[in-house]
PDB file of all heavy atoms in Angstrom:
ATOM      1  N   GLU A   1      35.637 -26.234   5.376  1.00  0.00           N
ATOM      2  CA  GLU A   1      35.492 -27.536   6.041  1.00  0.00           C
ATOM      3  C   GLU A   1      34.801 -28.559   5.151  1.00  0.00           C
ATOM      4  O   GLU A   1      34.927 -29.762   5.369  1.00  0.00           O
ATOM      5  CB  GLU A   1      34.725 -27.357   7.351  1.00  0.00           C
ATOM      6  CG  GLU A   1      35.500 -26.552   8.393  1.00  0.00           C
ATOM      7  CD  GLU A   1      34.713 -26.374   9.671  1.00  0.00           C
ATOM      8  OE1 GLU A   1      33.496 -26.657   9.656  1.00  0.00           O
ATOM      9  OE2 GLU A   1      35.312 -25.954  10.685  1.00  0.00           O
ATOM     10  N   GLN A   2      34.052 -28.086   4.162  1.00  0.00           N
ATOM     11  CA  GLN A   2      33.381 -29.000   3.227  1.00  0.00           C
ATOM     12  C   GLN A   2      34.235 -29.256   1.977  1.00  0.00           C
ATOM     13  O   GLN A   2      33.757 -29.790   0.982  1.00  0.00           O
ATOM     14  CB  GLN A   2      32.027 -28.414   2.797  1.00  0.00           C
ATOM     15  CG  GLN A   2      30.948 -28.460   3.874  1.00  0.00           C
ATOM     16  CD  GLN A   2      31.205 -27.455   4.983  1.00  0.00           C
ATOM     17  OE1 GLN A   2      31.513 -26.293   4.702  1.00  0.00           O
ATOM     18  NE2 GLN A   2      31.078 -27.903   6.236  1.00  0.00           N
ATOM     19  N   ARG A   3      35.499 -28.847   2.037  1.00  0.00           N
ATOM     20  CA  ARG A   3      36.458 -29.036   0.948  1.00  0.00           C
ATOM     21  C   ARG A   3      36.101 -28.216  -0.290  1.00  0.00           C
ATOM     22  O   ARG A   3      36.530 -28.544  -1.407  1.00  0.00           O
ATOM     23  CB  ARG A   3      36.578 -30.524   0.556  1.00  0.00           C
ATOM     24  CG  ARG A   3      37.034 -31.416   1.685  1.00  0.00           C
ATOM     25  CD  ARG A   3      38.420 -31.059   2.153  1.00  0.00           C
ATOM     26  NE  ARG A   3      38.871 -31.900   3.252  1.00  0.00           N
ATOM     27  CZ  ARG A   3      40.018 -31.727   3.910  1.00  0.00           C
ATOM     28  NH1 ARG A   3      40.817 -30.732   3.553  1.00  0.00           N
ATOM     29  NH2 ARG A   3      40.359 -32.535   4.887  1.00  0.00           N
ATOM     30  N   GLN A   4      35.339 -27.154  -0.104  1.00  0.00           N
ATOM     31  CA  GLN A   4      35.041 -26.255  -1.208  1.00  0.00           C
ATOM     32  C   GLN A   4      36.138 -25.196  -1.300  1.00  0.00           C
ATOM     33  O   GLN A   4      36.546 -24.626  -0.283  1.00  0.00           O
ATOM     34  CB  GLN A   4      33.680 -25.585  -0.991  1.00  0.00           C
ATOM     35  CG  GLN A   4      32.505 -26.559  -0.991  1.00  0.00           C
ATOM     36  CD  GLN A   4      32.355 -27.292  -2.310  1.00  0.00           C
ATOM     37  OE1 GLN A   4      32.338 -26.672  -3.381  1.00  0.00           O
ATOM     38  NE2 GLN A   4      32.250 -28.618  -2.237  1.00  0.00           N
ATOM     39  N   GLN A   5      36.603 -24.926  -2.514  1.00  0.00           N
ATOM     40  CA  GLN A   5      37.695 -23.972  -2.697  1.00  0.00           C
ATOM     41  C   GLN A   5      37.208 -22.554  -2.412  1.00  0.00           C
ATOM     42  O   GLN A   5      36.255 -22.073  -3.019  1.00  0.00           O
ATOM     43  CB  GLN A   5      38.223 -24.046  -4.134  1.00  0.00           C
ATOM     44  CG  GLN A   5      39.602 -23.439  -4.324  1.00  0.00           C
ATOM     45  CD  GLN A   5      40.708 -24.375  -3.868  1.00  0.00           C
ATOM     46  OE1 GLN A   5      40.634 -25.582  -4.075  1.00  0.00           O
ATOM     47  NE2 GLN A   5      41.740 -23.823  -3.251  1.00  0.00           N
ATOM     48  N   ILE A   6      37.900 -21.884  -1.468  1.00  0.00           N
ATOM     49  CA  ILE A   6      37.544 -20.502  -1.147  1.00  0.00           C
ATOM     50  C   ILE A   6      38.662 -19.524  -1.503  1.00  0.00           C
ATOM     51  O   ILE A   6      38.448 -18.316  -1.516  1.00  0.00           O
ATOM     52  CB  ILE A   6      37.181 -20.351   0.349  1.00  0.00           C
ATOM     53  CG1 ILE A   6      38.340 -20.806   1.247  1.00  0.00           C
ATOM     54  CG2 ILE A   6      35.903 -21.116   0.668  1.00  0.00           C
ATOM     55  CD1 ILE A   6      38.086 -20.586   2.740  1.00  0.00           C
ATOM     56  N   LEU A   7      39.840 -20.055  -1.792  1.00  0.00           N
ATOM     57  CA  LEU A   7      40.963 -19.214  -2.224  1.00  0.00           C
ATOM     58  C   LEU A   7      41.831 -20.026  -3.167  1.00  0.00           C
ATOM     59  O   LEU A   7      42.235 -21.150  -2.833  1.00  0.00           O
ATOM     60  CB  LEU A   7      41.783 -18.736  -1.013  1.00  0.00           C
ATOM     61  CG  LEU A   7      42.925 -17.758  -1.312  1.00  0.00           C
ATOM     62  CD1 LEU A   7      42.374 -16.423  -1.817  1.00  0.00           C
ATOM     63  CD2 LEU A   7      43.781 -17.511  -0.052  1.00  0.00           C
ATOM     64  N   ILE A   8      42.129 -19.462  -4.340  1.00  0.00           N
ATOM     65  CA  ILE A   8      42.923 -20.150  -5.354  1.00  0.00           C
ATOM     66  C   ILE A   8      44.391 -19.765  -5.209  1.00  0.00           C
ATOM     67  O   ILE A   8      44.722 -18.582  -5.123  1.00  0.00           O
ATOM     68  CB  ILE A   8      42.444 -19.789  -6.778  1.00  0.00           C
ATOM     69  CG1 ILE A   8      40.953 -20.108  -6.941  1.00  0.00           C
ATOM     70  CG2 ILE A   8      43.279 -20.494  -7.830  1.00  0.00           C
ATOM     71  CD1 ILE A   8      40.629 -21.566  -6.880  1.00  0.00           C
ATOM     72  N   ASP A   9      45.272 -20.763  -5.178  1.00  0.00           N
ATOM     73  CA  ASP A   9      46.714 -20.507  -5.165  1.00  0.00           C
ATOM     74  C   ASP A   9      47.110 -19.823  -6.471  1.00  0.00           C
ATOM     75  O   ASP A   9      46.677 -20.221  -7.556  1.00  0.00           O
ATOM     76  CB  ASP A   9      47.478 -21.826  -5.008  1.00  0.00           C
ATOM     77  CG  ASP A   9      48.960 -21.626  -4.716  1.00  0.00           C
ATOM     78  OD1 ASP A   9      49.652 -21.033  -5.570  1.00  0.00           O
ATOM     79  OD2 ASP A   9      49.428 -22.067  -3.659  1.00  0.00           O
ATOM     80  N   TRP A  10      47.927 -18.783  -6.386  1.00  0.00           N
ATOM     81  CA  TRP A  10      48.315 -18.011  -7.568  1.00  0.00           C
ATOM     82  C   TRP A  10      49.003 -18.850  -8.636  1.00  0.00           C
ATOM     83  O   TRP A  10      49.051 -18.481  -9.811  1.00  0.00           O
ATOM     84  CB  TRP A  10      49.222 -16.842  -7.176  1.00  0.00           C
ATOM     85  CG  TRP A  10      50.584 -17.258  -6.678  1.00  0.00           C
ATOM     86  CD1 TRP A  10      50.923 -17.629  -5.416  1.00  0.00           C
ATOM     87  CD2 TRP A  10      51.788 -17.346  -7.451  1.00  0.00           C
ATOM     88  NE1 TRP A  10      52.257 -17.950  -5.335  1.00  0.00           N
ATOM     89  CE2 TRP A  10      52.815 -17.780  -6.567  1.00  0.00           C
ATOM     90  CE3 TRP A  10      52.108 -17.093  -8.782  1.00  0.00           C
ATOM     91  CZ2 TRP A  10      54.131 -17.965  -6.979  1.00  0.00           C
ATOM     92  CZ3 TRP A  10      53.420 -17.292  -9.200  1.00  0.00           C
ATOM     93  CH2 TRP A  10      54.419 -17.721  -8.307  1.00  0.00           C
ATOM     94  N   ARG A  11      49.540 -20.009  -8.239  1.00  0.00           N
ATOM     95  CA  ARG A  11      50.253 -20.863  -9.180  1.00  0.00           C
ATOM     96  C   ARG A  11      49.350 -21.870  -9.876  1.00  0.00           C
ATOM     97  O   ARG A  11      49.772 -22.542 -10.816  1.00  0.00           O
ATOM     98  CB  ARG A  11      51.384 -21.599  -8.448  1.00  0.00           C
ATOM     99  CG  ARG A  11      52.439 -20.673  -7.909  1.00  0.00           C
ATOM    100  CD  ARG A  11      53.330 -21.340  -6.882  1.00  0.00           C
ATOM    101  NE  ARG A  11      52.607 -21.608  -5.630  1.00  0.00           N
ATOM    102  CZ  ARG A  11      53.187 -21.996  -4.496  1.00  0.00           C
ATOM    103  NH1 ARG A  11      54.493 -22.159  -4.458  1.00  0.00           N
ATOM    104  NH2 ARG A  11      52.472 -22.219  -3.417  1.00  0.00           N
ATOM    105  N   ALA A  12      48.126 -22.016  -9.378  1.00  0.00           N
ATOM    106  CA  ALA A  12      47.209 -23.000  -9.939  1.00  0.00           C
ATOM    107  C   ALA A  12      46.751 -22.577 -11.342  1.00  0.00           C
ATOM    108  O   ALA A  12      46.677 -21.383 -11.650  1.00  0.00           O
ATOM    109  CB  ALA A  12      45.998 -23.154  -9.021  1.00  0.00           C
ATOM    110  N   PRO A  13      46.434 -23.545 -12.213  1.00  0.00           N
ATOM    111  CA  PRO A  13      45.956 -23.197 -13.561  1.00  0.00           C
ATOM    112  C   PRO A  13      44.761 -22.247 -13.537  1.00  0.00           C
ATOM    113  O   PRO A  13      44.634 -21.386 -14.416  1.00  0.00           O
ATOM    114  CB  PRO A  13      45.589 -24.566 -14.151  1.00  0.00           C
ATOM    115  CG  PRO A  13      46.487 -25.539 -13.438  1.00  0.00           C
ATOM    116  CD  PRO A  13      46.600 -25.007 -12.032  1.00  0.00           C
ATOM    117  N   ALA A  14      43.906 -22.386 -12.522  1.00  0.00           N
ATOM    118  CA  ALA A  14      42.714 -21.538 -12.443  1.00  0.00           C
ATOM    119  C   ALA A  14      43.050 -20.073 -12.214  1.00  0.00           C
ATOM    120  O   ALA A  14      42.206 -19.196 -12.431  1.00  0.00           O
ATOM    121  CB  ALA A  14      41.795 -22.031 -11.320  1.00  0.00           C
ATOM    122  N   ALA A  15      44.282 -19.796 -11.767  1.00  0.00           N
ATOM    123  CA  ALA A  15      44.675 -18.413 -11.480  1.00  0.00           C
ATOM    124  C   ALA A  15      45.367 -17.745 -12.666  1.00  0.00           C
ATOM    125  O   ALA A  15      45.646 -16.547 -12.609  1.00  0.00           O
ATOM    126  CB  ALA A  15      45.591 -18.374 -10.261  1.00  0.00           C
ATOM    127  N   GLU A  16      45.643 -18.489 -13.726  1.00  0.00           N
ATOM    128  CA  GLU A  16      46.404 -17.920 -14.843  1.00  0.00           C
ATOM    129  C   GLU A  16      45.719 -16.701 -15.444  1.00  0.00           C
ATOM    130  O   GLU A  16      46.366 -15.731 -15.849  1.00  0.00           O
ATOM    131  CB  GLU A  16      46.631 -18.982 -15.922  1.00  0.00           C
ATOM    132  CG  GLU A  16      47.637 -20.053 -15.517  1.00  0.00           C
ATOM    133  CD  GLU A  16      47.978 -20.983 -16.665  1.00  0.00           C
ATOM    134  OE1 GLU A  16      48.039 -20.492 -17.813  1.00  0.00           O
ATOM    135  OE2 GLU A  16      48.175 -22.188 -16.426  1.00  0.00           O
ATOM    136  N   ARG A  17      44.391 -16.734 -15.493  1.00  0.00           N
ATOM    137  CA  ARG A  17      43.670 -15.624 -16.118  1.00  0.00           C
ATOM    138  C   ARG A  17      43.835 -14.315 -15.336  1.00  0.00           C
ATOM    139  O   ARG A  17      43.672 -13.235 -15.905  1.00  0.00           O
ATOM    140  CB  ARG A  17      42.188 -15.972 -16.261  1.00  0.00           C
ATOM    141  CG  ARG A  17      41.937 -17.041 -17.314  1.00  0.00           C
ATOM    142  CD  ARG A  17      40.460 -17.191 -17.623  1.00  0.00           C
ATOM    143  NE  ARG A  17      39.729 -17.793 -16.507  1.00  0.00           N
ATOM    144  CZ  ARG A  17      38.403 -18.003 -16.512  1.00  0.00           C
ATOM    145  NH1 ARG A  17      37.678 -17.652 -17.563  1.00  0.00           N
ATOM    146  NH2 ARG A  17      37.813 -18.559 -15.483  1.00  0.00           N
ATOM    147  N   PHE A  18      44.145 -14.429 -14.055  1.00  0.00           N
ATOM    148  CA  PHE A  18      44.363 -13.213 -13.266  1.00  0.00           C
ATOM    149  C   PHE A  18      45.544 -12.417 -13.814  1.00  0.00           C
ATOM    150  O   PHE A  18      45.572 -11.182 -13.760  1.00  0.00           O
ATOM    151  CB  PHE A  18      44.621 -13.580 -11.797  1.00  0.00           C
ATOM    152  CG  PHE A  18      44.798 -12.393 -10.889  1.00  0.00           C
ATOM    153  CD1 PHE A  18      43.712 -11.649 -10.462  1.00  0.00           C
ATOM    154  CD2 PHE A  18      46.065 -12.011 -10.474  1.00  0.00           C
ATOM    155  CE1 PHE A  18      43.876 -10.551  -9.623  1.00  0.00           C
ATOM    156  CE2 PHE A  18      46.246 -10.913  -9.635  1.00  0.00           C
ATOM    157  CZ  PHE A  18      45.146 -10.179  -9.217  1.00  0.00           C
ATOM    158  N   TYR A  19      46.535 -13.124 -14.348  1.00  0.00           N
ATOM    159  CA  TYR A  19      47.741 -12.480 -14.866  1.00  0.00           C
ATOM    160  C   TYR A  19      47.721 -12.287 -16.378  1.00  0.00           C
ATOM    161  O   TYR A  19      48.331 -11.347 -16.897  1.00  0.00           O
ATOM    162  CB  TYR A  19      48.968 -13.301 -14.474  1.00  0.00           C
ATOM    163  CG  TYR A  19      49.131 -13.474 -12.987  1.00  0.00           C
ATOM    164  CD1 TYR A  19      48.848 -14.686 -12.365  1.00  0.00           C
ATOM    165  CD2 TYR A  19      49.554 -12.413 -12.193  1.00  0.00           C
ATOM    166  CE1 TYR A  19      48.990 -14.841 -10.998  1.00  0.00           C
ATOM    167  CE2 TYR A  19      49.701 -12.561 -10.815  1.00  0.00           C
ATOM    168  CZ  TYR A  19      49.412 -13.781 -10.225  1.00  0.00           C
ATOM    169  OH  TYR A  19      49.546 -13.916  -8.865  1.00  0.00           O
ATOM    170  N   GLN A  20      47.044 -13.178 -17.084  1.00  0.00           N
ATOM    171  CA  GLN A  20      47.152 -13.183 -18.542  1.00  0.00           C
ATOM    172  C   GLN A  20      46.048 -12.427 -19.267  1.00  0.00           C
ATOM    173  O   GLN A  20      46.236 -11.999 -20.407  1.00  0.00           O
ATOM    174  CB  GLN A  20      47.171 -14.632 -19.049  1.00  0.00           C
ATOM    175  CG  GLN A  20      48.417 -15.409 -18.665  1.00  0.00           C
ATOM    176  CD  GLN A  20      49.652 -14.879 -19.356  1.00  0.00           C
ATOM    177  OE1 GLN A  20      49.577 -14.340 -20.452  1.00  0.00           O
ATOM    178  NE2 GLN A  20      50.804 -15.007 -18.710  1.00  0.00           N
ATOM    179  N   SER A  21      44.901 -12.244 -18.634  1.00  0.00           N
ATOM    180  CA  SER A  21      43.778 -11.596 -19.307  1.00  0.00           C
ATOM    181  C   SER A  21      44.070 -10.130 -19.577  1.00  0.00           C
ATOM    182  O   SER A  21      44.672  -9.432 -18.754  1.00  0.00           O
ATOM    183  CB  SER A  21      42.516 -11.725 -18.449  1.00  0.00           C
ATOM    184  OG  SER A  21      42.181 -13.083 -18.257  1.00  0.00           O
ATOM    185  N   THR A  22      43.624  -9.654 -20.727  1.00  0.00           N
ATOM    186  CA  THR A  22      43.792  -8.253 -21.105  1.00  0.00           C
ATOM    187  C   THR A  22      42.473  -7.739 -21.679  1.00  0.00           C
ATOM    188  O   THR A  22      41.554  -8.519 -21.976  1.00  0.00           O
ATOM    189  CB  THR A  22      44.888  -8.091 -22.169  1.00  0.00           C
ATOM    190  OG1 THR A  22      44.466  -8.766 -23.370  1.00  0.00           O
ATOM    191  CG2 THR A  22      46.212  -8.663 -21.693  1.00  0.00           C
ATOM    192  N   ALA A  23      42.399  -6.429 -21.842  1.00  0.00           N
ATOM    193  CA  ALA A  23      41.199  -5.856 -22.440  1.00  0.00           C
ATOM    194  C   ALA A  23      41.015  -6.358 -23.871  1.00  0.00           C
ATOM    195  O   ALA A  23      39.884  -6.544 -24.343  1.00  0.00           O
ATOM    196  CB  ALA A  23      41.292  -4.333 -22.416  1.00  0.00           C
ATOM    197  N   ALA A  24      42.117  -6.587 -24.570  1.00  0.00           N
ATOM    198  CA  ALA A  24      42.040  -7.101 -25.938  1.00  0.00           C
ATOM    199  C   ALA A  24      41.619  -8.566 -25.957  1.00  0.00           C
ATOM    200  O   ALA A  24      40.986  -9.030 -26.907  1.00  0.00           O
ATOM    201  CB  ALA A  24      43.381  -6.930 -26.635  1.00  0.00           C
TER     202      ALA A  24
END
């Protein structure tokens, strides 16, 4: 309700690391 992000859309730039990050 305060416009604070509580869930990131998988397509948003902020979510890219969820798919692209690796141990290397």
Side-chain angles (χ1 to χ4, degrees):
E1 293 179 347
Q2 287 72 46
R3 300 297 179 185
Q4 296 298 310
Q5 198 79 39
I6 58 176
L7 185 66
I8 304 294
D9 191 298
W10 68 276
R11 296 164 290 191
E16 288 187 36
R17 289 190 290 178
F18 183 77
Y19 301 106
Q20 292 292 331
S21 299
T22 64

